[in-house]
Amino acid sequence: MRSPETFDAYYVETRTRLLHEAYALTGDAPAARAAVRDAFVVAWHHWRKVALLDDRDAYVRPIALRRARRRHTARIWHRDKSLDAEARSTLDALSKLTARQRELLVLNGLSALSLADLAREVGLPRGDAERELQTATAQFALHRDAPTTEVSRLLHDLAAPLEEIRWPRATAVRRSGSARRRTHTVIGAGLATAALVVSGSLVATGSGAEATSLDEEKATAGVTVHAPVDDSAGEEIIGESALLSATQMSRFGAGLDWEETATTDNLSGDGLLAPCQRERFSDPDGVTALARTWEGSATRVVRRTVGQGEDRRTKKRRVSNVESTAVQMVEMSRGPRQAARGFDTASSWFAGCADPRTQLLSTHAVKRVGDEARTFRLRSWGKQPTTITVGAARTGSLVLTHVVRSQGRAASDKAVLTGLAAAVNAVCGAEGAGTCAGRARARATGPLGVGTPPGLLSVIDLPPVAAVRGPWVGTDPEKARNNYAATRCDRTAFTGKGISRALTRTFLFPETPNASQLGLTQTVGKMDQARARSFVEQVRNRIRECGRANLGTTVTQLESSSSQATDLSVWALTIELNDRQSFPFLMAIVRDGSAVSQLGFAPDRNMTMSRPDFIALAGRVMERLAALDGAG
């Protein structure tokens, strides 16, 4: 039940304390008051859930502090002539700390949070939070010219400028929360209808768009509560209507029943909701964020025969299994420039996924969706193979990512594009949004750079190998004095006059025992284009002649293509060592303009790579060589 009495008591008991914390963070009393008031409006909207929490502050505080930071004007305390010199000096010292240091110091000094809770609040491991708090304390004491033992007192003294703050009555806050809830219900129903009409292309004019204000109201005789600084009380920066619905999620898996598992601001836990995600947020200095997680279940009928003779009968049972999971996140940065950096960061998570045994299959640039957009497809080839489909977009100051992990049939390219367009249109017209989405168009592109030297493969490019333990691990690139990608047929070397940027790198499975022969080696080099063509042709001729001249060598051509700008040839070789032993080997020679690469894979017993995967890997080498060809 919604208990007004419980809410009112909590509001009266907590508002001043949260105001003190928000003011210490910003030095802006009007912004802090409005932010705290709005946080309680949101809390009443969700009071059925909030009232059940053991720590209600953990829900209300982050909303208040985020909104206070968003609203405040830098160094406004210098224009407050009623502020005494001591308080001004304290706020000046706080302003010289980073945002995270300031929040740690303020919450440590003014709240009852434990160190573990503090770390969770600011999104750091406990050890990092402790070190950051020590740094913040030392820096504040230095800037304030006071001993560290005085930090707590100086922060508590900031309550003095807030003593005259007037608050709206709890009934006014509850009215705003109720109006906000009604508006969300109406907007949600309207958007659901629109979504059905346009088959999932959701276009909104912004979530929670009511203009709710707290009218002047008598708190006690002779005391007037003034209208707030702005008229957007209770309006969420990113509302839940900005996230995809269960109906829209159905495009990501035919026959799956999608169920929302959580909607969160992602400020608790480790913040890593999606595969390949490296940090809590793509923009750690962003304004706000909202995330939603899903599970997609498939239901099948299981038949079982029981009994004997005349009592024999078939029992049916419906069994549901989770086959897909999904994460959608919307983040707001302080401006389009910061959001563009956040978009690049989010893209790098998937372009260079650090999750073990995960391979990048394709990258696409997307047009007509926001200001910029990309999709990625990856596969995880661990004990339970899965496909990961990713859509990422930026519109104005907002960055949206949508990640679906499928154990069975993967989400189609069309589903990824239409889902990304729907996600962008869900925030179209909202605060911070830029370009909306039209009919999405995708174009295959080369993989994004992942920090390796131009032309070289990375672990993210490598396909699965049967019967191995652990992930691929690459050695450091080194000068190509020896070329272990070559065979005894071609004996190719990347040394000599006219060859530059010659590097080699080997990939192994160090966790796999007794796999001394297993490995993949790539060697690259750059030369003038005429010599590069001649270099590739020489390798082809040697392989061809080796198959003819050596009865103990079998050569099978798997792929071959040539043009003025590129060459690609792939072979499977079997070299007989004696009457009982033979040595299989997969080899490719690839050219893009003036850049050439040789790729060699040596299997070991049943630990091998499929031929289609090796051919596809040679194609990835071609894509990586483009960076080397363009290098000066």
Side-chain angles (χ1 to χ4, degrees):
M1 293 181 59
R2 296 169 61 84
S3 171
E5 295 79 13
T6 304
F7 174 84
D8 293 357
Y10 176 64
Y11 169 68
V12 172
E13 175 188 355
T14 311
R15 63 191 181 188
T16 302
R17 174 162 44 82
L18 292 182
L19 173 67
H20 190 174
E21 294 171 9
Y23 178 63
L25 276 181
T26 63
D28 189 335
R33 175 192 178 277
V36 172
R37 177 205 61 213
D38 289 0
F40 280 103
V41 170
V42 175
W44 177 249
H45 177 178
H46 299 289
W47 190 245
R48 292 184 193 276
K49 294 184 292 185
V50 177
L52 300 176
L53 298 176
D54 292 332
D55 183 8
R56 296 167 186 162
D57 287 4
Y59 178 88
V60 179
R61 178 186 285 110
I63 299 174
L65 300 189
R66 271 201 314 272
R67 295 186 177 214
R69 282 192 291 261
R70 180 172 70 94
R71 281 192 167 105
H72 94 280
T73 303
R75 301 174 68 81
I76 194 171
W77 59 88
H78 283 270
R79 300 197 299 272
D80 185 356
K81 301 191 182 301
S82 64
L83 198 63
D84 65 43
E86 287 291 304
R88 186 177 286 110
S89 296
T90 298
L91 293 171
D92 275 335
L94 286 169
S95 72
K96 292 181 171 66
L97 305 179
T98 67
R100 182 168 280 167
Q101 289 173 347
R102 190 160 60 248
E103 186 170 0
L104 276 168
L105 188 70
V106 167
L107 293 182
N108 183 64
L110 299 181
S111 75
L113 293 174
S114 67
L115 185 58
D117 291 333
L118 277 175
R120 193 178 305 112
E121 190 86 7
V122 299
L124 285 176
R126 176 171 175 156
D128 292 349
E130 187 172 5
R131 286 190 293 272
E132 196 76 351
L133 177 60
Q134 291 172 350
T135 302
T137 303
Q139 289 294 316
F140 174 81
L142 177 65
H143 296 311
R144 185 62 176 82
D145 194 21
T148 56
T149 54
E150 288 291 290
V151 171
S152 179
R153 180 190 65 78
L154 292 170
L155 291 175
H156 278 88
D157 286 349
L158 289 176
L162 308 175
E163 291 175 353
E164 301 301 318
I165 291 288
R166 296 173 176 175
W167 291 100
R169 287 203 321 223
T171 52
V173 175
R174 283 192 277 110
R175 280 202 300 271
S176 292
S178 298
R180 180 180 187 276
R181 187 173 64 257
R182 288 193 299 271
T183 303
H184 274 233
T185 301
V186 171
I187 289 176
L191 291 178
T193 303
L196 291 174
V197 172
V198 299
S199 302
S201 295
L202 188 59
V203 181
T205 57
S207 62
E210 82 277 14
T212 304
S213 62
L214 303 177
D215 296 331
E216 288 191 356
E217 180 177 348
K218 296 287 184 179
T220 57
V223 178
T224 301
V225 177
H226 294 282
V229 175
D230 59 47
D231 62 355
S232 60
E235 181 183 356
E236 287 182 315
I237 305 174
I238 300 175
E240 293 186 12
S241 60
L243 301 175
L244 297 180
S245 65
T247 301
Q248 293 173 308
M249 286 298 300
S250 63
R251 60 165 56 87
F252 294 107
L256 295 183
D257 295 322
W258 287 95
E259 181 179 356
E260 176 190 341
T261 54
T263 298
T264 172
D265 56 12
N266 198 28
L267 290 173
S268 61
D270 63 10
L272 304 182
L273 303 178
C276 304
Q277 186 180 353
R278 297 180 196 170
E279 301 171 86
R280 186 182 299 275
F281 301 118
S282 62
D283 178 4
D285 296 321
V287 175
T288 189
L290 194 64
R292 179 169 288 169
T293 55
W294 298 87
E295 288 183 347
S297 300
T299 303
R300 58 189 178 91
V301 177
V302 177
R303 293 176 172 83
R304 185 167 61 94
T305 301
V306 298
Q308 295 180 350
E310 294 181 356
D311 294 331
R312 187 183 179 89
R313 65 189 185 280
T314 301
K315 282 190 173 182
K316 296 180 181 180
R317 184 166 57 96
R318 296 175 68 85
V319 178
S320 294
N321 293 309
V322 175
E323 292 192 355
S324 295
T325 58
V327 178
Q328 184 193 4
M329 182 177 288
V330 183
E331 298 181 58
M332 175 183 279
S333 294
R334 298 184 183 276
R337 184 180 302 173
Q338 293 88 339
R341 289 197 295 267
F343 174 76
D344 289 341
T345 297
S347 296
S348 72
W349 292 345
F350 306 104
C353 183
D355 291 2
R357 293 186 170 213
T358 301
Q359 179 196 5
L360 176 68
L361 299 177
S362 63
T363 306
H364 286 78
V366 181
K367 300 296 183 184
R368 303 180 187 174
V369 175
D371 296 311
E372 50 186 331
R374 292 189 183 104
T375 63
F376 304 88
R377 189 176 293 275
L378 305 97
R379 66 172 166 180
S380 175
W381 47 276
K383 291 182 178 179
Q384 196 168 42
T386 58
T387 302
I388 302 167
T389 53
V390 181
R394 179 185 67 84
T395 172
S397 301
L398 301 176
V399 173
L400 303 92
T401 52
H402 196 279
V403 185
V404 180
R405 186 168 194 160
S406 310
Q407 293 177 15
R409 186 176 178 180
S412 67
D413 292 338
K414 181 179 179 181
V416 176
L417 290 177
T418 57
L420 189 59
V424 169
N425 281 332
V427 298
C428 181
E431 180 180 351
T435 307
C436 300
R439 188 178 293 273
R441 291 286 182 269
R443 175 179 58 84
T445 65
L448 304 182
V450 290
T452 55
L456 286 180
L457 294 170
S458 179
V459 168
I460 187 64
D461 299 312
L462 305 186
V465 171
V468 295
R469 293 184 189 175
W472 285 105
V473 175
T475 62
D476 292 333
E478 59 183 47
K479 289 186 177 181
R481 296 182 180 90
N482 296 302
N483 177 22
Y484 297 110
T487 70
R488 73 181 189 183
C489 284
D490 63 279
R491 302 185 187 278
T492 304
F494 282 74
T495 56
K497 186 176 180 181
I499 300 178
S500 61
R501 296 178 178 266
L503 294 172
T504 188
R505 188 182 194 191
T506 297
F507 298 89
L508 306 164
F509 286 97
E511 294 181 25
T512 300
N514 303 318
S516 58
Q517 297 181 37
L518 178 66
L520 175 82
T521 298
Q522 183 197 14
T523 306
V524 299
K526 184 177 172 67
M527 57 202 81
D528 68 68
Q529 191 157 332
R531 180 171 181 182
R533 286 197 299 268
S534 174
F535 189 96
V536 170
E537 193 58 35
Q538 184 181 59
V539 173
R540 285 172 167 166
N541 289 335
R542 287 178 177 176
I543 296 292
R544 191 182 304 119
E545 290 302 318
C546 186
R548 293 171 182 169
N550 295 281
L551 297 179
T553 300
T554 302
V555 176
T556 303
Q557 182 135 38
L558 304 179
E559 188 78 15
S560 183
S561 64
S562 291
S563 69
Q564 186 68 20
T566 63
D567 288 294
L568 185 148
S569 290
V570 184
W571 300 272
L573 296 92
T574 302
I575 303 170
E576 291 188 7
L577 303 179
N578 53 50
D579 290 340
R580 295 183 179 181
Q581 288 182 300
S582 62
F583 182 70
F585 198 77
L586 295 173
M587 196 269 278
I589 189 76
V590 185
R591 179 182 68 89
D592 185 334
S594 61
V596 180
S597 179
Q598 190 169 22
L599 185 69
F601 173 71
D604 193 345
R605 303 183 303 281
N606 63 332
M607 293 176 283
T608 188
M609 183 187 302
S610 73
R611 290 182 176 185
D613 276 347
F614 187 77
I615 293 170
L617 184 58
R620 175 57 55 82
V621 170
M622 178 79 77
E623 294 175 335
R624 292 290 186 194
L625 282 179
L628 180 58
D629 178 51

